Amino acid sequence: MLKVEPLDATHDRAGFDCGAEPLNRYLQQVARQHIAKGVSKTFVLVEEKALAPKPILGFFTISLCQVFGEQVPAKWSKKLPEQIPAMRLGRLAVALDHQGSGLGKALLVEALFRIARVAEVAGGIGLFVDAKNEAAAAFYARFGFLSTPSGPLTLFMPAETIRQFASCATALMSRR
Ligand SMILES: CC(C)(COP(=O)(O)OP(=O)(O)OC[C@H]1O[C@@H](n2cnc3c(N)ncnc32)[C@H](O)[C@@H]1OP(=O)(O)O)[C@@H](O)C(=O)NCCC(=O)NCCS
């Protein structure tokens, strides 16, 4: 069994390699500082029974953010204040030897559940993602993320879509 948990000192950050050096470096050198300072939260996917140092199969980082109206797709940007609260999925990556087996999708679903909880208690127009390159943008677009005026590597999912996704998924799981 796999589980997602907050990154901490029991995880083997040095052993993680997703093939993208900036993402590896972020996990190894920055993520825990950002957690400590309240900048963002990083969650890791591990084997439930793994012992420390636990191998990291994948991770994602979420944070709060503020955007301006011109960064929001037109359909969602009407009648908003000048500065608009939102959430950001800054990073998401799967270890090279586990890519292509559904873990990226599973991490994205986990991130959306967490974002839905944030939106429920604090609002936020939706989730922006920063894709590393066009292939990563295609990965997000596959799951319904929309293009934004900021460029091809910034995508957006409205809070209402995330809320609907989380409530449908919860209803489906409770029927199992
Ligand atoms: C992009 C990444 C997170 C995908 O994770 P993964 O575990 O390999 O992807 P999955 O196996 O969960 O694939 C889920 C679906 O997305 C598709 N997909 C995967 N990578 C894709 C890509 N680059 N472009 C388009 N679709 C992609 C898969 O075909 C699969 O489709 P299916 O549901 O119809 O089978 C992973 O390849 C990775 O970590 N890459 C390096 C870091 C990176 O680019 N991160 C992106 C955010 S900056």
Side-chain angles (χ1 to χ4, degrees):
M1 284 282 280
L2 301 178
K3 70 171 178 174
V4 171
E5 59 190 22
L7 174 68
D8 65 29
T10 65
H11 299 117
D12 178 16
R13 288 171 294 154
F16 182 79
D17 181 11
C18 68
E21 205 39 50
L23 292 175
N24 293 343
R25 219 172 22 245
Y26 178 82
L27 183 69
Q28 288 156 5
Q29 298 174 9
V30 183
R32 288 200 59 212
Q33 287 177 33
H34 279 187
I35 293 170
K37 291 177 178 163
V39 174
S40 57
K41 294 278 182 187
T42 291
F43 296 89
V44 293
L45 183 68
V46 294
E47 289 278 356
E48 207 167 40
K49 291 187 176 148
L51 300 174
K54 301 181 211 170
I56 297 173
L57 310 184
F59 79 97
F60 62 84
T61 298
I62 52 185
S63 63
L64 304 173
C65 68
Q66 270 200 335
V67 294
F68 294 98
E70 63 264 25
Q71 296 169 271
V72 181
K75 183 175 172 197
W76 308 96
S77 68
K78 298 186 186 84
K79 297 187 179 169
L80 290 171
E82 193 186 347
Q83 293 188 7
I84 307 153
M87 287 71 77
R88 186 171 294 279
L89 180 61
R91 289 162 187 88
L92 184 150
V94 172
L96 273 175
D97 46 357
H98 290 88
Q99 288 180 11
S101 55
L103 297 188
K105 193 189 319 190
L107 283 173
L108 185 56
V109 166
E110 276 289 329
L112 291 176
F113 269 113
R114 284 172 164 78
I115 293 293
R117 277 166 26 208
V118 174
E120 192 179 327
V121 294
I125 185 174
L127 179 64
F128 287 84
V129 300
D130 297 316
K132 182 178 70 66
N133 53 32
E134 284 178 13
F139 170 79
Y140 291 118
R142 223 185 143 73
F143 296 101
F145 280 82
L146 309 169
S147 55
T148 72
S150 301
L153 300 185
T154 304
L155 295 95
F156 173 71
M157 185 176 280
E160 180 56 19
T161 306
I162 297 169
R163 191 194 63 73
Q164 285 172 0
F165 158 77
S167 72
C168 287
T170 305
L172 281 173
M173 285 188 292
S174 69
R175 289 176 55 177
R176 279 189 177 171

